[in-house]
Every structure is written in structure tokens, then in C-alpha cells.
Amino acid sequence: MKRFSACCFTSRISEFHSHRKHNQSQSQIMAGNISDSSGSKGANILLNHDFSRGLNSWHLNSCTGYVISAESGAQGGLSMELGANYAVITDRKECWQGLEQDITDRISTGYTYTVLACVGVSSVSQGSSDVLATLKLEYQDSATSYLFIGRTSVNKDSWEKLEGTFSLSTMPDRVVFYLEGPAPGVDLLIRSVEINCSTPNNNTKGTSCVSAGDENIIINPQFDDGLNNWSGRGCKIVLHDSMNDGKIVPKSGKFFASATERTQNWNGIQQDITGRVQRKLAYEVTALVRIFGNNVSTADVRATLWVQAPDLKEQYIGIANLQATDKDWVTLQGKFLLNGSPSKVVLYLEGPPPGTDILLNNLVLKHAAKTPPSTPPDVKNVTFGVNIIQNSNLADGTDGWFPLGNCTLSVKSGSPHIIPPMARDSLGPHELLNGRYILVTNRTQTWMGPAQIITDKVKLFLTYQVSAWVRIGSGSSGPQNVNVALGVDNQWVNGGQTEVSDDTWHEIGGSFRIEKQPSKVMIYVQGPASGVDLMVAGLQIFPVDRHARFRYLKIQTDKIRKRDVVLKFSGLDSGSYANTSVQVRQTQNVFPIGTCISRSNIDNEDFVDFMVKHFNWVVFGNELKWYWTEPQQGNFNYKDADDLLSLCQKHNIQTRGHCIFWDVEGVVQQWIKSLNKNDLMTAVQNRLNGLMTRYKGKFNHYDVNNEMLHGSFFQDRLGKDIRANMFKTANQLDPSATLFVNDYHVEDGCDTRSCPDKYIHHILDLQEQGAPVGGIGIQGHIDSPIGPIVSSSLDKLGILGLPIWFTELDVSSINEYVRADDLEVMLREAMAHPAVEGIMLWGFWELFMSRDNAHLVNAEGDINEAGKRFLALKQEWLSHSRGHVDEQGQYNFRGFHGTYNLQVVTPSKKISKTFVLDKGDTPLVLSIDL
């Protein structure tokens, strides 16, 4: 059971019959600094916090007050503790009137402070009243602001505890703490107030207020003090030294706890950690867990954070999850970071089905150690472009190959002699293939095919391209998937897929990378149905020097993203031309490079600062999705989207609307799934009307029905026409918005459901039904990207003549340098392709990405190697030029589209101008009168 401090949860306050005013006058704020007050951990920074000196050091905010002291005896029947005092704040005409104290000289930026007050109410109060703790922040050059700290609800006959935390990232000119809140005419009673420095935020200078460091924030982590500080979340918790007739014993320490009698998945064991964690710091949770009972041998166990904001809004943050067993203790581990300043934080375990106990042996919560920086992969002695497959040309029959399963391999002739196009671009000049292929017969399982062991030939962190010609024999009942796969320690890795539906040869292309040392790596070709023969020719797997393509991409980028500029000067005699200098600096590239953000992100001013500086477009991660805006029928939440949109408008950042609908059944709300056809049609129409009307003209793009190549929830229930009708209705409601299709694995060759040919057919089908499809969204969640494979997909999609956007781009590698290479490949391919008109990253900040090891900025704000590469590319795509006016009175340069500052210095004057370089096929001629 959680133990509270002695701040009178149960003490009763008798009704007052009389008050005696304290004769001491209100004191002025004490001058001077209080030595070490902001730094002593656990020291109360408030002066006269218990009113033992009357109201000295306190100020009454347009009301009156006095102190009831122990020496005066029981007042009006009030039961007092020996030596206790409390303040009475009366004659209150406004809710904000109360007691305040200037704490400017006793707090510092970068620290977190905890507030604890014991408060009550009296006089004419009926029922309960709210008491609030607030900070008033005064600035000389801007408006005064107010920071909510915490609130509690108080009945007139009891004391209650008011708690909260705050920290300041910038220091105001004056900081005033005050208590306020009850209705006018209600007396506010204050027994004691404490403001204690907790621990410093990152990079705080000074030696006081010691950081938690390696200290465990969890109290009683191994249950040596029984169940104190722990509680059940909707269930019962029990302390054990063993269970199940001694078969379950602690792995560490003497005890463990069980969360039992669970009736919901969210039931579990919890600890309130309010005031012990700080915003903008990364924390790591490590727990020893297992499960027991209900005939369940494995179940998902999750560590979750419940956070309540000062405005009472709740948030659930997933920290970690794993499959726990009933056989042994397993380690659950994960990280989290709080962007805002919460009023309440609870850490709990949940997940298994009802009836299954969660067992917890210990739990550690610490400030997460910084991840050591990566080192560049060692590429010495790597020969790029050399095939690692043995006997690839089958000159030695099937030597080096073996059949996976009880199939039969033989060598035949008649396959293509040319290298598949995507590999040709990577390899450059290369020998022709010899026309031999492996014929695989007697296949009784889809996974049967030719295989090789390549364990000793694969090097860590190199990106390998996969290329082959494949074909199937007769006897198939329809299109067949063919897949080049790797077995990496028995884990399947996708090396590329294609769909084969006829008796011709098809190119298969893909890529892979291995980042942890394996004990065994096998390559094999699989896929067609049993009984269908498989033919494989010219299988090549080779490491790719991805930087070698960058020179070509830079040339292409200059061709399509730049324009010639001619500056024509007048008003200057020709003799001054040589002495007139010109400096041109581009301040903004107009090519859209944006990011995904979420509502919680914008509570972190460091996140917002990076976003505003480096991105000119934004998309919301979840806040516009239907399951977010209407989680239950008729229960709408547009506030989060409104907040994000307001921020973007403030900073002149363009926005994409993601998404109106999502066709994958697994993400559809339960209430929608339960509707009949007519009601579902009505709900769809209401969704369109509600969203598009509310935000008309505010979103430049909409993803109308997300991932239609991977789901068909609405089409299955409402018919094929519904997809085109969604586009038509959206266009009618907001004609200004460009309407996109949006899907994943379009560009990487690893998913036959969404290959470019399927996507093209899908778009043409929508257009034939009258859908105003205005753009093609490629999500871009890609692994180990290879430039020619990505470019090939863009070329195919480009024939439609629609703008292509990468809408959710992210790349992942545990090595920051490899991640940087992946990102550079994708950004350069996009910038160099004329059909691509925008790039959206799917986030950039650690712990707020949909994929691990995909971030550009570490959790506490450090820019990693991938982030540095991103910023370097952004700088590369800004044009700068300097020189002198030529003999014709002109200055010529070629620059990226965007905004420029021009500075001209003549022998007698200096002139500055701003101009915009738009897209165009002919040079931009600007006449400048000097």
C-alpha cells in the first residue's frame, strides 16, 4: 500500500464560529539571494513555509489574511496539532485571489521542483472546491504568463494534499508562486507549503541539487519493504517469497510480487513516480517479469506510463513489451521521455489476458545512459560489385548449390544473356550472362528451391544488392510470388520479390544488410506453389558502393532543381563594373522537406526549435486519423490536430492531411466495425463532411484512403465504388487540396502487393471511375536502400504524370553512419528525380519514431551522425555565389529554386535586395537599378 507523508489526509477541520486576525503586518519580499537555496536537494525554498512567523515573507493578493497559531488554542472547535499553524485567506472577491511569494532568487533554470501543500477551505463553501498552485512568470519585453503546477479538490471539513512539479527552460525577470482557486467568498486555508528542488535537467551547471544518475528512481524496487509504494491497477497485488509449491522463486533478492485477480488486460502492478522524473530527460526501465496461471504459457507483458497533464488530459506511453513465459524470469527493457510537465505520472505493467498473473521480481528506473557514438564501418579490402555467389554462371553444373528440401536441381540453357537492368546500373560494364539456369523440379513445398551457405562471405554493415532472372513452369493456377530469401540464424530476411504470371523471364531485385554477427547465413530462392517448377538464372549478390552514384545524382539534381539567373545592372558607368561586387546567398530552398510530428512533441521547445529551423512542411502522425478524432461514435477530439495546425500556421509551415480513411481493418475502430452497411455509409459521409468542412483550405494535401493495396475494409463492406467516391466527395468539400493515394513498399522491390505495376494499375482504376487522384504517395519505410532500385520504381510511376511524394520516409540502422548513408541515398534519389515533388520524414527525434534506430536527434537533443548528414545535405541544396559585374553589366549564376538575399557593393554605395527564384525553363532575368 502506498504510504503518504503526514500531511493530514484524514484530519478534520471543525466549522469555524469565529476568527481572530493576526496583528502582524504583511511583510515585504526579503531582499538578497538565499545561499544555496536553489541547489539543496530536499531543502524547502519557500520562506516561512509553516507560518510559524505569521505571514512574514508572504504577500496577500488583493485579499486579507491571518494565521491561526497553536498558542491561541483551538479556534472554533478546530482540533490542532501541537505547534501547528495555518493561514486563513479571506475577503476573497475573485478565484485568483490568494497567498503568494516571490521566489525569483531561489530557483534556477534546468531544475525540476516539486510542490507539496496541505490546504483546506471554509466559510460558505458548499460541496468541494478546487485549490490550485500556480506560477506567475513576468517578462520585461513580453506579456506575463502563468504556469499551472497542480490542483486538488477540497471539502470544507478536511485537509487535502496538493502536489505538482515545474521546471523552467528560460528564466523570467520575476517568478511568483501562489495558491488560488476557490470560488469568491470561500476562505482558503493553508497549513504548510513546500517547494523542493528535485534533480537537475540535462547539462545543468553546478554541484548542488544532485542528479539521479545511477540511482534507481523506483522506491522499494525488490519488495524488501513489502508492498509499500506499490499498488494494484484495477486488481490485487500479493507479496511472495515463492509460488507454485516452490517452483517459482525470485531470481534476485528474497521477494517478488504478483498482480492477481486480473479481469482486464490493463490490470497490473504500478508505482506513482510523480515528481521523480523530469521532462526532456530519457529514462530506461528494466524489469524482471514472468507470468503464471490460466493455462497460458506465453503472453505479452508491457511497461506503460500513464501521464496526466495539468489540464487533466491523459496520455499513455508505451515503454517496452516482450513475450513473457511461465517457465522463467525474462528482462523487460525500454526507454521513455516526457516532453511536457505532467501533474501525475504512474508506471505500470500490463498486457496478459485476464486471469493470468503478472509476476514482478524487481524494477529499475534510471536516467538512461547516453548511447556511445557509432564508428564508421570498416570497408577496407571490400571489393564492391563482386558477386559472392559461388558458381553463379553454372559453368560447374550445380557445384556449390544444394536443394532446400526434397526438390531436384538441374542445369538448363535458354535464359537471358543480359544482366537485369537494376543490377546493370549498379555494376556498370560487366560480362554478359551465359544463358544457363537452374531448373527446380519435384517441389512439394513453397519454400523449396536452390540454396547456398554464404556465412563467411557476408560482412557486417555492408549493403548488398540482390539480382536474378526468374521464371516458373506450367501448372500454376494463377500469379506466383518468387522470393530471394536469406535465413540468418533461422530468421527470414527478404532479399526481393516479384510476381510471375506467365512463361517469360522476370527480373527480381532487392537488397539486405546484416548488422549482428550471425552463426549461419543461407541464401535461397522460393515462392511458387508446390508442384510448380522454378527457374533461376544469374543470381548475383554483391556489396554496393552507394556513394559512387552520388556524383551522377548531383548532376541530375542540378539539372532539375536549379535555374539560371541573370542579374542586369543599370545606373552604373561601365568603368565601375570591375569594382562592383555581388554576393548572392540563398536563405531558403522551396523544395518541400517536411517531418511527422505529434501533439506531445510540441510541448518540448527543443523539438519545436529543430522542426521550425529545418522543415518547411509537416504531417501529423496520428492526430488527424479517424481513430484519433472519433475514438467512440460521436465523441470527437480535434483539439490535438487544432493545436498542431495552429503551431504550423504560426511558423508558416505547410501541412499534409494524413489521413481521412485507412483501409486496413486492424486500425479501424471497433464501433465502425460493428456498423451495418447503411450506418457505415452514413459514418463515412459524416467523417468526410466533418473533417473536410472543419479544415477547408487548411491542409494542402490529403491522403484519402491509406494503404489500399494492403487493405480493403471499406471496399469489402461498401463496394468497389466507395474508394472513388471518397476522392470525389473530398474534392467537392475542399477543391483546394491535392488528393493522394498512399502506400508502402512501393519503391524497394520487397512486396509484390505494392510493386510499381500494381500501384499504377490501382491509380488508373481509380481515375477511370472518376476519382480526382492528384498525387502519388510513397511512404518510404525502407531498409538498406539501393539507388537504382528506388530510381527504377520512380521511373515506372513517373509515366502517370502525377507528382510523387515520399510521405513517411525513415531508414534504420544501429550504426549512425550507415543510417546516414541510407538517408542520403533516399534524399538524393528523390531530389534527382523530376517526378518527385516533396519529401516527408516520418519523424526525427529518438523515442518518437515508429522504428527503432531511425532517429536523427537523440532523445535529449544531441544531433547524431545521421542528423548531421541531413543538415549537410540541406546546406548543399542552398546556392551561394559571389563575384563582380562583368563587362556587359551583368552577373550570372545558377541556383536552386527558393529565396535569395542579394548584396551589391559599388565604389559609392551598398544595396541589398531579396528575390525569389521560381521554377522555369528559361533564365530568370532581374533588372537592378543602381
Side-chain angles (χ1 to χ4, degrees), residues 338-363:
L338 297 175
N339 286 307
S341 298
S343 59
K344 191 98 170 163
V345 185
V346 175
L347 174 64
Y348 67 99
L349 301 183
E350 60 171 335
T356 303
D357 293 353
I358 301 173
L359 310 187
L360 174 63
N361 188 187
N362 64 38
L363 197 151

PDB file of all heavy atoms in Angstrom, residues 338-363:
ATOM      1  N   LEU A 338       9.550  12.388 -21.302  1.00  0.00           N
ATOM      2  CA  LEU A 338       8.381  13.255 -21.159  1.00  0.00           C
ATOM      3  C   LEU A 338       8.692  14.608 -21.785  1.00  0.00           C
ATOM      4  O   LEU A 338       9.688  15.248 -21.435  1.00  0.00           O
ATOM      5  CB  LEU A 338       8.024  13.439 -19.688  1.00  0.00           C
ATOM      6  CG  LEU A 338       7.619  12.178 -18.927  1.00  0.00           C
ATOM      7  CD1 LEU A 338       7.418  12.490 -17.452  1.00  0.00           C
ATOM      8  CD2 LEU A 338       6.346  11.576 -19.517  1.00  0.00           C
ATOM      9  N   ASN A 339       7.847  15.042 -22.703  1.00  0.00           N
ATOM     10  CA  ASN A 339       8.038  16.340 -23.348  1.00  0.00           C
ATOM     11  C   ASN A 339       7.522  17.486 -22.493  1.00  0.00           C
ATOM     12  O   ASN A 339       8.125  18.555 -22.434  1.00  0.00           O
ATOM     13  CB  ASN A 339       7.330  16.360 -24.704  1.00  0.00           C
ATOM     14  CG  ASN A 339       8.061  15.547 -25.751  1.00  0.00           C
ATOM     15  OD1 ASN A 339       9.243  15.748 -25.978  1.00  0.00           O
ATOM     16  ND2 ASN A 339       7.365  14.617 -26.383  1.00  0.00           N
ATOM     17  N   GLY A 340       6.396  17.268 -21.854  1.00  0.00           N
ATOM     18  CA  GLY A 340       5.768  18.324 -21.070  1.00  0.00           C
ATOM     19  C   GLY A 340       6.009  18.157 -19.585  1.00  0.00           C
ATOM     20  O   GLY A 340       6.743  17.280 -19.134  1.00  0.00           O
ATOM     21  N   SER A 341       5.378  19.029 -18.794  1.00  0.00           N
ATOM     22  CA  SER A 341       5.475  18.988 -17.332  1.00  0.00           C
ATOM     23  C   SER A 341       4.182  18.399 -16.787  1.00  0.00           C
ATOM     24  O   SER A 341       3.178  19.100 -16.666  1.00  0.00           O
ATOM     25  CB  SER A 341       5.693  20.396 -16.769  1.00  0.00           C
ATOM     26  OG  SER A 341       6.899  20.946 -17.247  1.00  0.00           O
ATOM     27  N   PRO A 342       4.177  17.114 -16.466  1.00  0.00           N
ATOM     28  CA  PRO A 342       2.938  16.471 -16.034  1.00  0.00           C
ATOM     29  C   PRO A 342       2.611  16.784 -14.582  1.00  0.00           C
ATOM     30  O   PRO A 342       3.488  17.147 -13.789  1.00  0.00           O
ATOM     31  CB  PRO A 342       3.249  14.980 -16.215  1.00  0.00           C
ATOM     32  CG  PRO A 342       4.722  14.891 -15.987  1.00  0.00           C
ATOM     33  CD  PRO A 342       5.304  16.175 -16.531  1.00  0.00           C
ATOM     34  N   SER A 343       1.354  16.629 -14.250  1.00  0.00           N
ATOM     35  CA  SER A 343       0.951  16.761 -12.856  1.00  0.00           C
ATOM     36  C   SER A 343       0.908  15.407 -12.161  1.00  0.00           C
ATOM     37  O   SER A 343       0.915  15.335 -10.940  1.00  0.00           O
ATOM     38  CB  SER A 343      -0.423  17.425 -12.769  1.00  0.00           C
ATOM     39  OG  SER A 343      -1.393  16.664 -13.471  1.00  0.00           O
ATOM     40  N   LYS A 344       0.887  14.325 -12.957  1.00  0.00           N
ATOM     41  CA  LYS A 344       0.817  12.982 -12.368  1.00  0.00           C
ATOM     42  C   LYS A 344       1.475  12.001 -13.337  1.00  0.00           C
ATOM     43  O   LYS A 344       1.255  12.071 -14.555  1.00  0.00           O
ATOM     44  CB  LYS A 344      -0.645  12.587 -12.147  1.00  0.00           C
ATOM     45  CG  LYS A 344      -0.821  11.332 -11.315  1.00  0.00           C
ATOM     46  CD  LYS A 344      -1.116  11.677  -9.872  1.00  0.00           C
ATOM     47  CE  LYS A 344      -1.538  10.454  -9.074  1.00  0.00           C
ATOM     48  NZ  LYS A 344      -1.436  10.682  -7.625  1.00  0.00           N
ATOM     49  N   VAL A 345       2.300  11.093 -12.802  1.00  0.00           N
ATOM     50  CA  VAL A 345       2.963  10.085 -13.620  1.00  0.00           C
ATOM     51  C   VAL A 345       2.926   8.756 -12.876  1.00  0.00           C
ATOM     52  O   VAL A 345       3.361   8.682 -11.717  1.00  0.00           O
ATOM     53  CB  VAL A 345       4.428  10.451 -13.924  1.00  0.00           C
ATOM     54  CG1 VAL A 345       5.040   9.440 -14.893  1.00  0.00           C
ATOM     55  CG2 VAL A 345       4.547  11.850 -14.484  1.00  0.00           C
ATOM     56  N   VAL A 346       2.427   7.724 -13.523  1.00  0.00           N
ATOM     57  CA  VAL A 346       2.355   6.389 -12.929  1.00  0.00           C
ATOM     58  C   VAL A 346       2.958   5.386 -13.913  1.00  0.00           C
ATOM     59  O   VAL A 346       2.609   5.379 -15.096  1.00  0.00           O
ATOM     60  CB  VAL A 346       0.901   5.992 -12.596  1.00  0.00           C
ATOM     61  CG1 VAL A 346       0.843   4.555 -12.084  1.00  0.00           C
ATOM     62  CG2 VAL A 346       0.316   6.949 -11.569  1.00  0.00           C
ATOM     63  N   LEU A 347       3.868   4.554 -13.423  1.00  0.00           N
ATOM     64  CA  LEU A 347       4.478   3.489 -14.213  1.00  0.00           C
ATOM     65  C   LEU A 347       3.822   2.175 -13.828  1.00  0.00           C
ATOM     66  O   LEU A 347       3.702   1.859 -12.633  1.00  0.00           O
ATOM     67  CB  LEU A 347       5.983   3.435 -13.934  1.00  0.00           C
ATOM     68  CG  LEU A 347       6.766   2.290 -14.552  1.00  0.00           C
ATOM     69  CD1 LEU A 347       6.758   2.352 -16.069  1.00  0.00           C
ATOM     70  CD2 LEU A 347       8.213   2.302 -14.031  1.00  0.00           C
ATOM     71  N   TYR A 348       3.380   1.398 -14.835  1.00  0.00           N
ATOM     72  CA  TYR A 348       2.729   0.131 -14.502  1.00  0.00           C
ATOM     73  C   TYR A 348       3.013  -0.944 -15.543  1.00  0.00           C
ATOM     74  O   TYR A 348       3.425  -0.656 -16.666  1.00  0.00           O
ATOM     75  CB  TYR A 348       1.222   0.328 -14.329  1.00  0.00           C
ATOM     76  CG  TYR A 348       0.446   0.707 -15.563  1.00  0.00           C
ATOM     77  CD1 TYR A 348      -0.261  -0.247 -16.301  1.00  0.00           C
ATOM     78  CD2 TYR A 348       0.382   2.035 -15.993  1.00  0.00           C
ATOM     79  CE1 TYR A 348      -0.996   0.108 -17.422  1.00  0.00           C
ATOM     80  CE2 TYR A 348      -0.350   2.397 -17.110  1.00  0.00           C
ATOM     81  CZ  TYR A 348      -1.029   1.427 -17.828  1.00  0.00           C
ATOM     82  OH  TYR A 348      -1.759   1.770 -18.942  1.00  0.00           O
ATOM     83  N   LEU A 349       2.797  -2.184 -15.141  1.00  0.00           N
ATOM     84  CA  LEU A 349       2.911  -3.337 -16.020  1.00  0.00           C
ATOM     85  C   LEU A 349       1.527  -3.850 -16.354  1.00  0.00           C
ATOM     86  O   LEU A 349       0.642  -3.891 -15.492  1.00  0.00           O
ATOM     87  CB  LEU A 349       3.732  -4.454 -15.361  1.00  0.00           C
ATOM     88  CG  LEU A 349       5.163  -4.112 -14.946  1.00  0.00           C
ATOM     89  CD1 LEU A 349       5.851  -5.344 -14.369  1.00  0.00           C
ATOM     90  CD2 LEU A 349       5.964  -3.553 -16.109  1.00  0.00           C
ATOM     91  N   GLU A 350       1.331  -4.279 -17.602  1.00  0.00           N
ATOM     92  CA  GLU A 350       0.028  -4.748 -18.070  1.00  0.00           C
ATOM     93  C   GLU A 350       0.240  -5.755 -19.191  1.00  0.00           C
ATOM     94  O   GLU A 350       1.355  -6.127 -19.506  1.00  0.00           O
ATOM     95  CB  GLU A 350      -0.799  -3.558 -18.592  1.00  0.00           C
ATOM     96  CG  GLU A 350      -0.129  -2.837 -19.761  1.00  0.00           C
ATOM     97  CD  GLU A 350      -1.012  -1.801 -20.421  1.00  0.00           C
ATOM     98  OE1 GLU A 350      -2.245  -1.924 -20.337  1.00  0.00           O
ATOM     99  OE2 GLU A 350      -0.471  -0.878 -21.057  1.00  0.00           O
ATOM    100  N   GLY A 351      -0.858  -6.221 -19.805  1.00  0.00           N
ATOM    101  CA  GLY A 351      -0.736  -6.958 -21.049  1.00  0.00           C
ATOM    102  C   GLY A 351      -1.342  -8.330 -21.145  1.00  0.00           C
ATOM    103  O   GLY A 351      -2.088  -8.610 -22.085  1.00  0.00           O
ATOM    104  N   PRO A 352      -1.028  -9.272 -20.219  1.00  0.00           N
ATOM    105  CA  PRO A 352      -1.533 -10.642 -20.399  1.00  0.00           C
ATOM    106  C   PRO A 352      -3.051 -10.699 -20.363  1.00  0.00           C
ATOM    107  O   PRO A 352      -3.714  -9.779 -19.864  1.00  0.00           O
ATOM    108  CB  PRO A 352      -0.932 -11.397 -19.208  1.00  0.00           C
ATOM    109  CG  PRO A 352       0.262 -10.585 -18.808  1.00  0.00           C
ATOM    110  CD  PRO A 352      -0.125  -9.164 -19.083  1.00  0.00           C
ATOM    111  N   PRO A 353      -3.635 -11.776 -20.884  1.00  0.00           N
ATOM    112  CA  PRO A 353      -5.091 -11.893 -20.850  1.00  0.00           C
ATOM    113  C   PRO A 353      -5.615 -11.987 -19.422  1.00  0.00           C
ATOM    114  O   PRO A 353      -4.875 -12.379 -18.504  1.00  0.00           O
ATOM    115  CB  PRO A 353      -5.361 -13.190 -21.633  1.00  0.00           C
ATOM    116  CG  PRO A 353      -4.082 -13.941 -21.597  1.00  0.00           C
ATOM    117  CD  PRO A 353      -3.002 -12.919 -21.562  1.00  0.00           C
ATOM    118  N   PRO A 354      -6.888 -11.617 -19.217  1.00  0.00           N
ATOM    119  CA  PRO A 354      -7.475 -11.703 -17.877  1.00  0.00           C
ATOM    120  C   PRO A 354      -7.305 -13.104 -17.291  1.00  0.00           C
ATOM    121  O   PRO A 354      -7.377 -14.110 -17.997  1.00  0.00           O
ATOM    122  CB  PRO A 354      -8.957 -11.376 -18.118  1.00  0.00           C
ATOM    123  CG  PRO A 354      -8.951 -10.521 -19.354  1.00  0.00           C
ATOM    124  CD  PRO A 354      -7.837 -11.056 -20.201  1.00  0.00           C
ATOM    125  N   GLY A 355      -7.069 -13.144 -15.972  1.00  0.00           N
ATOM    126  CA  GLY A 355      -6.875 -14.419 -15.299  1.00  0.00           C
ATOM    127  C   GLY A 355      -5.429 -14.853 -15.209  1.00  0.00           C
ATOM    128  O   GLY A 355      -5.101 -15.785 -14.472  1.00  0.00           O
ATOM    129  N   THR A 356      -4.561 -14.193 -15.968  1.00  0.00           N
ATOM    130  CA  THR A 356      -3.136 -14.517 -15.931  1.00  0.00           C
ATOM    131  C   THR A 356      -2.426 -13.525 -15.016  1.00  0.00           C
ATOM    132  O   THR A 356      -2.569 -12.316 -15.178  1.00  0.00           O
ATOM    133  CB  THR A 356      -2.518 -14.449 -17.341  1.00  0.00           C
ATOM    134  OG1 THR A 356      -3.227 -15.342 -18.206  1.00  0.00           O
ATOM    135  CG2 THR A 356      -1.051 -14.834 -17.307  1.00  0.00           C
ATOM    136  N   ASP A 357      -1.655 -14.043 -14.053  1.00  0.00           N
ATOM    137  CA  ASP A 357      -0.938 -13.177 -13.127  1.00  0.00           C
ATOM    138  C   ASP A 357       0.321 -12.619 -13.772  1.00  0.00           C
ATOM    139  O   ASP A 357       1.008 -13.321 -14.528  1.00  0.00           O
ATOM    140  CB  ASP A 357      -0.540 -13.950 -11.859  1.00  0.00           C
ATOM    141  CG  ASP A 357      -1.745 -14.362 -11.025  1.00  0.00           C
ATOM    142  OD1 ASP A 357      -2.865 -13.942 -11.355  1.00  0.00           O
ATOM    143  OD2 ASP A 357      -1.545 -15.120 -10.058  1.00  0.00           O
ATOM    144  N   ILE A 358       0.636 -11.375 -13.449  1.00  0.00           N
ATOM    145  CA  ILE A 358       1.924 -10.773 -13.808  1.00  0.00           C
ATOM    146  C   ILE A 358       2.806 -10.848 -12.571  1.00  0.00           C
ATOM    147  O   ILE A 358       2.429 -10.369 -11.501  1.00  0.00           O
ATOM    148  CB  ILE A 358       1.763  -9.309 -14.238  1.00  0.00           C
ATOM    149  CG1 ILE A 358       0.835  -9.183 -15.445  1.00  0.00           C
ATOM    150  CG2 ILE A 358       3.126  -8.700 -14.563  1.00  0.00           C
ATOM    151  CD1 ILE A 358       0.511  -7.743 -15.809  1.00  0.00           C
ATOM    152  N   LEU A 359       3.982 -11.452 -12.706  1.00  0.00           N
ATOM    153  CA  LEU A 359       4.928 -11.541 -11.601  1.00  0.00           C
ATOM    154  C   LEU A 359       6.066 -10.558 -11.856  1.00  0.00           C
ATOM    155  O   LEU A 359       6.603 -10.484 -12.963  1.00  0.00           O
ATOM    156  CB  LEU A 359       5.486 -12.958 -11.478  1.00  0.00           C
ATOM    157  CG  LEU A 359       4.483 -14.118 -11.459  1.00  0.00           C
ATOM    158  CD1 LEU A 359       5.195 -15.433 -11.152  1.00  0.00           C
ATOM    159  CD2 LEU A 359       3.370 -13.861 -10.455  1.00  0.00           C
ATOM    160  N   LEU A 360       6.431  -9.814 -10.815  1.00  0.00           N
ATOM    161  CA  LEU A 360       7.499  -8.828 -10.910  1.00  0.00           C
ATOM    162  C   LEU A 360       8.508  -9.084  -9.802  1.00  0.00           C
ATOM    163  O   LEU A 360       8.159  -9.056  -8.625  1.00  0.00           O
ATOM    164  CB  LEU A 360       6.924  -7.405 -10.792  1.00  0.00           C
ATOM    165  CG  LEU A 360       7.945  -6.261 -10.725  1.00  0.00           C
ATOM    166  CD1 LEU A 360       8.773  -6.193 -12.001  1.00  0.00           C
ATOM    167  CD2 LEU A 360       7.239  -4.928 -10.474  1.00  0.00           C
ATOM    168  N   ASN A 361       9.757  -9.340 -10.186  1.00  0.00           N
ATOM    169  CA  ASN A 361      10.825  -9.602  -9.222  1.00  0.00           C
ATOM    170  C   ASN A 361      11.523  -8.307  -8.802  1.00  0.00           C
ATOM    171  O   ASN A 361      11.788  -8.076  -7.632  1.00  0.00           O
ATOM    172  CB  ASN A 361      11.819 -10.576  -9.841  1.00  0.00           C
ATOM    173  CG  ASN A 361      12.862 -11.073  -8.846  1.00  0.00           C
ATOM    174  OD1 ASN A 361      13.801 -11.757  -9.215  1.00  0.00           O
ATOM    175  ND2 ASN A 361      12.729 -10.734  -7.573  1.00  0.00           N
ATOM    176  N   ASN A 362      11.843  -7.473  -9.754  1.00  0.00           N
ATOM    177  CA  ASN A 362      12.378  -6.155  -9.428  1.00  0.00           C
ATOM    178  C   ASN A 362      12.159  -5.222 -10.602  1.00  0.00           C
ATOM    179  O   ASN A 362      11.931  -5.672 -11.739  1.00  0.00           O
ATOM    180  CB  ASN A 362      13.853  -6.204  -9.015  1.00  0.00           C
ATOM    181  CG  ASN A 362      14.772  -6.665 -10.116  1.00  0.00           C
ATOM    182  OD1 ASN A 362      14.587  -6.326 -11.281  1.00  0.00           O
ATOM    183  ND2 ASN A 362      15.794  -7.422  -9.763  1.00  0.00           N
ATOM    184  N   LEU A 363      12.246  -3.934 -10.335  1.00  0.00           N
ATOM    185  CA  LEU A 363      12.050  -2.928 -11.374  1.00  0.00           C
ATOM    186  C   LEU A 363      13.015  -1.786 -11.120  1.00  0.00           C
ATOM    187  O   LEU A 363      13.099  -1.264 -10.003  1.00  0.00           O
ATOM    188  CB  LEU A 363      10.607  -2.423 -11.393  1.00  0.00           C
ATOM    189  CG  LEU A 363      10.171  -1.675 -12.662  1.00  0.00           C
ATOM    190  CD1 LEU A 363       8.686  -1.846 -12.918  1.00  0.00           C
ATOM    191  CD2 LEU A 363      10.502  -0.191 -12.587  1.00  0.00           C
TER     192      LEU A 363
END
